[in-house]
Amino acid sequence: MDRRQQKTRAAIFQAFSRLLERKRFENITVQEIIDLANIGRSTFYAHFETKDDLLKELCEELFSHIVDSAMDCTHTHGLYSEGNAPESVFCHLLQHLAENDNHILQLLSCESNEIFLRYFKDSLNELIHMQVVNRTSRKMACLPEDFLVNHISGSFVEMVLWWLKGGRKQAPEELDRYFRAVIGPVL
């Protein structure tokens, strides 16, 4: 993708995100997106077939960036200039969320948040499977692996929602301690 296409795509994502902060997904029109992005209709459709495709790609881009960053311990975004990266993948993930790249926290708490939360949870499943379930001893042989992954990712998403509703008072390290205290016995 050339630079011009990247700029157009970024303008569409930004316009869409701004609209999502004010309106439910179902009430946003393609016309509103193209007006706010200052592009033509054919340009929009050259990048996305539908508004649903735009939503899917926005979520994939946002969440894959955060999840990939959490899985790659060398990718620190300058978070750890004073010391080492945290051992916990959950703490790393929370720190990236706290940075609020691309206004992700607003999207997770907007009127259409159920859509974003579903994509977020789906993105977490792979991370949890690779970084947690595969690395722990299988004390829980009686539980299906997909059940365990679903339980942990669902708990993490609910914790993030609790954190957002509470005004983000806890630091990522404190949330990480809470979360590991709760899931530790399960693992």
Side-chain angles (χ1 to χ4, degrees):
M1 187 179 318
D2 69 25
R3 254 195 284 202
R4 186 177 46 92
Q5 290 172 317
Q6 289 173 349
K7 280 179 83 172
T8 300
R9 196 172 169 85
I12 294 170
F13 281 159
Q14 183 179 30
F16 187 47
S17 296
R18 286 180 35 211
L19 287 166
L20 282 165
E21 290 174 16
R22 300 189 313 246
K23 299 175 80 170
R24 293 192 60 76
F25 171 73
E26 300 81 26
N27 298 333
I28 295 172
T29 65
V30 170
Q31 187 63 49
E32 290 173 308
I33 297 167
I34 62 177
D35 287 348
L36 196 54
N38 197 26
I39 60 166
R41 183 170 291 277
S42 60
T43 301
F44 176 87
Y45 287 112
H47 288 269
F48 305 100
E49 286 186 32
T50 65
K51 182 177 75 166
D52 290 332
D53 288 338
L54 168 59
L55 175 68
K56 181 177 184 264
E57 288 195 38
L58 174 69
C59 289
E60 286 174 357
E61 186 171 299
L62 288 173
F63 298 127
S64 69
H65 169 73
I66 287 176
V67 170
D68 290 348
S69 296
M71 287 178 17
D72 178 7
C73 294
T74 63
H75 179 86
T76 61
H77 268 246
L79 287 170
Y80 314 112
S81 57
E82 301 297 315
N84 294 332
E87 280 185 36
S88 167
V89 70
F90 297 110
C91 188
H92 195 157
L93 186 57
L94 288 163
Q95 288 171 330
H96 277 280
L97 286 173
E99 282 188 328
N100 201 17
D101 286 344
N102 299 311
H103 306 288
I104 196 165
L105 294 180
Q106 284 89 331
L107 294 175
L108 290 175
S109 59
C110 74
E111 281 192 51
S112 300
N113 75 339
E114 69 280 350
I115 297 165
F116 292 97
L117 293 171
R118 185 186 58 212
Y119 277 107
F120 183 42
K121 186 175 172 291
D122 289 346
S123 298
L124 287 172
N125 286 342
E126 180 186 352
L127 172 73
I128 290 167
H129 188 269
M130 291 174 57
Q131 296 289 319
V132 179
V133 175
N134 282 347
R135 292 184 178 190
T136 58
S137 60
R138 289 296 304 187
K139 294 184 262 184
M140 307 298 290
C142 61
L143 292 177
E145 203 169 274
D146 61 334
F147 174 83
L148 188 57
V149 167
N150 183 66
H151 177 73
I152 294 168
S153 63
S155 295
F156 189 85
V157 168
E158 286 299 322
M159 179 192 64
V160 169
L161 281 176
W162 172 82
W163 180 55
L164 291 173
K165 287 177 185 171
R168 298 171 48 192
K169 293 176 186 139
Q170 298 78 12
E173 297 79 8
E174 186 176 359
L175 281 177
D176 177 55
R177 281 194 308 277
Y178 295 169
F179 188 67
R180 288 190 296 138
V182 171
I183 67 161
V186 173
L187 297 172

